[in-house]
Amino acid sequence: MFKSIRREPCFVEIQTSKGWESAIKSNDSYSTKAGLVKYQNGDVVLVETTEPVERIRLRWNDDFTFVKRVLGDSPGVELGDMAWMPVYPEKHWAWYIQCYDGKTVHGYGVKTGCNSFCFWQLDQEGISLVLDVRNGGCGVMLKNPLVCATVVEREGLLTETPYKACQEFCKLMCEKPNLPSRPVFGLNNWYYAYGDISRESVLEDTKLTMELCADTKHRPYMLIDDGWQLLREPSYIGGPFVPNEKFGDMAELAAKMSDMGVDPGLWIRPLLTKEKVSENMLHPRRLGTGGGVFLDPSKDEVLEFVADIVKTVSDNGYKVIKYDFTAPDMMTADIYDEIYLKENLTDGGWHFDDISVTNAQIIKKLYEKIQDAAGDSLVMGCNTYNHLAAGIHQIQRSCLDTNGHNWEKTRRNGVNPLAFRMPQNNTFFIADPDCAAITDKSPHEMNVRFFEACALSGESLFISVTPRLLSNEHKKRLKESFKIADAGCQCEPVDWLDTSCPRQYMVNGEIRTFNWYDITNGVNIY
C-alpha cells in the first residue's frame, strides 16, 4: 500500500524562540504572526518572516499502518546505527525515509541541495516533515521568499528488491550527481600512523600502493592524511596548511609520487587555524580548539581564504582533496559530542552576521567554493552533510571513523553504513565507507574481509597498512580486491532487513557471505 503526500498538508506550524504556533490556512498559504508558508507542487516555500523563524513543521494525516519497517538517513556522517526499524514515532530521520510494507519499499524525502535541514517523523496516523531553517542557533529573517525544500515520493514496485527501490528513490532525489570518471581506490596512511608520518613514510606507502595495485588499469590514489602540516599536535589538528620539516616542498613530493605511478591526495581542515586572521573572519561564537580558532563560513573573506588553501593543494599536484570537519567547526560542536549529527545540529543563542540566510545555504556555498577551487582534482567531503553535498562533491564519507586499533569500531562504523548507505553510491556521489586497516592492534583477517566487501560494493576503496606487516595470503587478497574495484563491481545487501550488520551480499547473481565475528567471538561492549 502507498499513501501520497503530494497534496496540501493537513497541518502546519512554525517555531520561533517563543515556541510553536499553529498556522492558519488561507487558500494555499499557512501563516502565523512570525511568517507565511506555501506548499506548491512539492515545494515548501517560506514566503516571508516577520519574526526570526527557526523551524517549520508540516503534517499529513493518513493511515500508515501498512508500514512494517522504516529506514531513514542521518544529517551527515553516519553513527553506525542504521537499520530497518519498526515505526518509531519520536525518531527524527534526516532527509528521507524508506517504508517497507512487507512486500515492497516506498520512499518519502526531499531533493538534494535543499535550503534547510529536513527531518521526517512517522507514526501509524500520519507523516511529518520538520524543516530547520535556522541561522546558527537562532531563527532566520528572510529578505526574499525561500524554497526550503522540494518534497518527492516514490511508490515501490513488486518486481524490485527493497535495495533496488531505495536506489531508485535516491536517483529521484539527486538528478545530477557529480561523479568521478573512474573508480576511486588506493591507500590512506591515517589508520596505521595516526599522524606520525613523514616524506619517507609517504614514499614507502606509495611503493606499497603500486605493488598492491600492479594489476589495475586505472591509477590508484595515495592519500596523505593529517600529520603533514606545520603545527600538528595531539591537541591540535588544523592549519596553517603548510608543510612541517618532515615533508619539505609538497609540490615536489606530489610530483615524485606521480612519477612512481599514483595520483597523490592530501587532507586539510579548512575552518580551523592558528594563522593571524582579521577579526571579521572569526566565527561569531569566538570558539576554537587546541589554541586554534574556528572561521566563519558565512563571510566572503573566509570563503576566499578556504579557496586559496584548496587551490594551492590542487596546484601542487594533488588529485584528490579530502577536507574534514566543516560540519562541527561551522556548528562549533565538539566532534565527540555529535550534536551536529543529530536533529538539534547546534545549540541556540547564537547566529551569523547575516541572519537572512539559513545554515544550509551557508554550508552549500562553502561546498561549492571548495569544489570550484579544486579545479580538476576530486573532492572528498568528510564530516560534511551528505544531502547538501550531493551534486557538488564527487566523493562523500559515509561514516564516523573506522579504527586501526579496535576492530569493533570498524565493524560498527564501517560495515553498517557500507550496506545502508550503499543506495547513495553512484546516485548522490561515490560513497566512502572509510578504511580497512592492517596494524598490529587489529585482526588482519577481519579487516581484509571488510576490504573485500567494500571492493564488491563499487564504493571508494581505501586501506591503511603498517609497512611490512602484510602476509603473502592477505597481500594476494588485497590485490584481487583492487582489481575488482578497478573493474567497477556492484552488489546489494541481502539480509539487511534483519540485521544492522549485513553479512550477505548479492554479487552477479550469487550470494557472498562474510563472517564478521568468528575471530573476535562476537561483540563485547564491556
Side-chain angles (χ1 to χ4, degrees):
M1 187 180 293
F2 172 73
K3 299 289 186 179
S4 175
I5 60 171
R6 293 279 295 188
R7 54 184 171 85
E8 291 184 353
C10 302
F11 177 75
V12 174
E13 57 183 342
I14 296 175
Q15 183 190 41
T16 66
S17 60
K18 301 173 185 176
W20 289 96
E21 183 179 355
S22 299
I24 298 172
K25 186 178 185 304
S26 177
N27 297 321
D28 63 347
S29 300
Y30 303 80
S31 61
T32 68
K33 295 177 183 178
L36 186 148
V37 174
K38 288 188 176 184
Y39 183 74
Q40 301 172 322
N41 298 318
D43 288 345
V44 182
V45 185
L46 182 54
V47 179
E48 62 181 9
T49 55
T50 53
E51 298 177 25
V53 171
E54 297 181 2
R55 295 178 179 88
I56 305 163
R57 181 172 176 266
L58 293 79
R59 171 74 173 185
W60 293 268
N61 293 322
D62 214 325
D63 180 4
F64 276 83
T65 56
F66 68 91
V67 180
K68 307 304 179 187
R69 297 183 187 181
V70 178
L71 174 64
D73 200 24
S74 302
V77 291
E78 209 278 314
L79 300 173
D81 58 359
M82 293 184 81
W84 286 96
M85 296 183 180
V87 174
Y88 191 173
E90 60 271 29
K91 176 74 173 176
H92 286 70
W93 310 100
W95 312 120
Y96 63 82
I97 54 172
Q98 313 275 8
C99 300
Y100 180 61
D101 65 8
K103 295 181 179 179
T104 191
V105 172
H106 313 292
Y108 303 91
V110 295
K111 287 191 174 182
T112 57
C114 43
N115 293 312
S116 62
F117 284 83
C118 302
F119 299 90
W120 294 89
Q121 290 178 274
L122 179 74
D123 55 66
Q124 291 89 342
E125 311 300 331
I127 190 170
S128 303
L129 171 61
V130 178
L131 300 97
D132 187 327
V133 295
R134 287 179 297 169
N135 174 285
C138 297
V140 67
M141 281 289 289
L142 297 182
K143 294 179 181 177
N144 299 297
L146 180 68
V147 178
C148 301
T150 299
V151 175
V152 290
E153 63 185 18
R154 181 181 184 272
E155 183 175 3
L157 305 175
L158 289 173
T159 55
E160 62 191 4
T161 63
Y163 175 80
K164 184 65 174 177
C166 293
Q167 186 182 54
E168 290 300 314
F169 188 55
C170 285
K171 292 178 182 178
L172 185 63
M173 287 186 284
C174 186
E175 296 174 344
K176 293 182 179 179
N178 181 18
L179 299 176
S181 60
R182 62 179 178 87
V184 177
F185 56 86
L187 266 66
N188 175 308
N189 59 14
W190 176 248
Y191 291 104
Y192 85 84
Y194 285 101
D196 184 12
I197 56 176
S198 65
R199 180 187 184 93
E200 289 71 27
S201 72
V202 166
L203 293 178
E204 185 172 7
D205 291 336
T206 300
K207 291 178 183 178
L208 180 58
T209 305
M210 289 307 302
E211 180 183 358
L212 296 177
C213 299
D215 299 326
T216 63
K217 295 179 181 179
H218 297 97
R219 287 167 67 95
Y221 292 93
M222 171 53 217
L223 203 156
I224 305 170
D225 216 293
D226 170 36
W228 66 274
Q229 70 275 25
L230 181 62
L231 300 180
R232 207 278 181 187
E233 302 168 0
S235 62
Y236 179 73
I237 304 175
F241 289 99
V242 294
N244 59 45
E245 68 280 0
K246 294 181 180 180
F247 278 86
D249 190 291
M250 295 302 288
E252 288 182 3
L253 177 57
K256 176 66 174 176
M257 294 168 69
S258 182
D259 289 343
M260 294 171 68
V262 305
D263 281 345
L266 198 63
W267 173 96
I268 56 173
R269 182 180 184 173
L271 290 184
L272 176 66
T273 191
K274 286 186 176 180
E275 291 187 64
K276 287 187 177 181
V277 296
S278 70
E279 184 75 13
N280 183 60
M281 294 173 64
L282 299 180
H283 194 283
R285 301 183 79 180
R286 298 300 193 268
L287 297 177
T289 182
V293 293
F294 293 133
L295 302 179
D296 181 349
S298 73
K299 299 291 184 65
D300 289 341
E301 192 175 353
V302 171
L303 294 181
E304 293 304 322
F305 177 87
V306 171
D308 286 344
I309 296 172
V310 174
K311 187 176 185 303
T312 298
V313 172
S314 178
D315 288 347
N316 280 342
Y318 292 90
K319 301 302 182 182
V320 61
I321 301 170
K322 175 184 176 183
Y323 78 95
D324 209 347
F325 295 119
T326 53
D329 292 355
M330 171 177 163
M331 301 299 187
T332 60
D334 188 317
I335 59 174
Y336 301 106
D337 178 43
E338 297 173 357
I339 185 176
Y340 70 101
L341 297 175
K342 300 176 182 178
E343 61 270 16
N344 287 334
L345 297 173
T346 186
D347 49 6
W350 67 277
H351 59 78
F352 295 102
D353 286 353
D354 181 2
I355 62 170
S356 70
V357 291
T358 67
N359 290 327
Q361 289 177 288
I362 292 170
I363 208 157
K364 280 197 307 177
K365 191 174 181 180
L366 172 65
Y367 295 166
E368 290 165 351
K369 194 72 173 181
I370 289 172
Q371 188 68 50
D372 289 344
D376 294 334
S377 299
L378 300 181
V379 173
M380 175 188 288
C382 185
N383 273 294
T384 47
Y385 291 115
N386 59 320
H387 221 68
L388 303 181
I392 300 175
H393 298 328
Q394 296 99 341
I395 315 166
Q396 185 76 4
R397 252 286 285 281
S398 298
C399 55
L400 288 179
D401 286 11
T402 54
N403 197 280
H405 298 166
N406 185 333
W407 160 249
E408 172 55 23
K409 288 186 178 180
T410 297
R411 185 200 63 79
R412 177 182 171 89
N413 294 345
V415 176
N416 175 270
L418 168 68
F420 287 96
R421 278 200 158 159
M422 199 179 292
Q424 297 178 7
N425 187 53
N426 279 316
T427 57
F428 285 7
F429 31 62
I430 294 295
D432 173 50
D434 209 6
C435 302
I438 303 297
T439 74
D440 59 1
K441 296 182 174 66
S442 190
H444 296 188
E445 174 61 24
M446 305 308 287
N447 280 280
V448 170
R449 291 179 194 176
F450 175 53
F451 190 75
E452 289 172 331
C454 292
L456 297 173
S457 72
E459 300 184 15
S460 69
L461 183 69
F462 285 95
I463 190 167
S464 295
V465 181
T466 302
R468 299 171 295 281
L469 205 59
L470 269 177
S471 69
N472 289 333
E473 177 200 348
H474 285 153
K475 187 178 294 186
K476 180 180 178 181
R477 288 165 63 183
L478 295 185
K479 292 180 72 173
E480 182 61 30
S481 290
F482 276 124
K483 285 174 62 178
I484 290 171
D486 182 52
C489 186
Q490 292 189 34
C491 67
E492 67 176 74
V494 175
D495 58 340
W496 68 330
L497 288 170
D498 304 317
T499 176
S500 65
C501 187
R503 61 196 293 269
Q504 294 182 323
Y505 295 84
M506 183 68 71
V507 187
N508 297 323
E510 296 183 0
I511 292 180
R512 177 80 179 270
T513 301
F514 294 89
N515 187 327
W516 304 122
Y517 309 101
D518 61 344
I519 290 179
T520 54
N521 293 306
V523 176
N524 187 347
I525 65 171
Y526 297 100

